[in-house]
Amino acid sequence: SPTKEKVVQALSDSHLFVHQISPKQFLRGCYMWKFQKDITDEALEQDARDYTDIGKVPPYVCDYLIHIYGVQ
């Protein structure tokens, strides 16, 4: 069965596709939802690179997806 990481990654990719937003837009929105402040450009660049290159989904994105979709 798929790992939790793969499920979260697939849900993230689907969310980007459905809403027609870039990974950076998505990551920034998730970060702002979680922490009530903007993410630094440096952190955004790193998180976007990790997300795009190796499929690493930051914990704040997982929290956002659980909030939106109710998945555990």
Side-chain angles (χ1 to χ4, degrees), residues 1-40:
S1 72
T3 63
K4 178 184 174 190
E5 289 77 21
K6 290 288 181 199
V7 171
V8 170
Q9 192 180 344
L11 188 56
S12 296
D13 290 344
S14 175
H15 187 89
L16 294 181
F17 179 77
V18 168
H19 295 281
Q20 292 294 294
I21 55 176
S22 70
K24 283 186 183 179
Q25 288 173 306
F26 177 57
L27 292 166
R28 171 168 268 141
C30 293
Y31 190 94
M32 291 180 79
W33 168 83
K34 175 75 176 177
F35 300 108
Q36 305 299 305
K37 62 180 181 180
D38 202 359
I39 188 171
T40 65

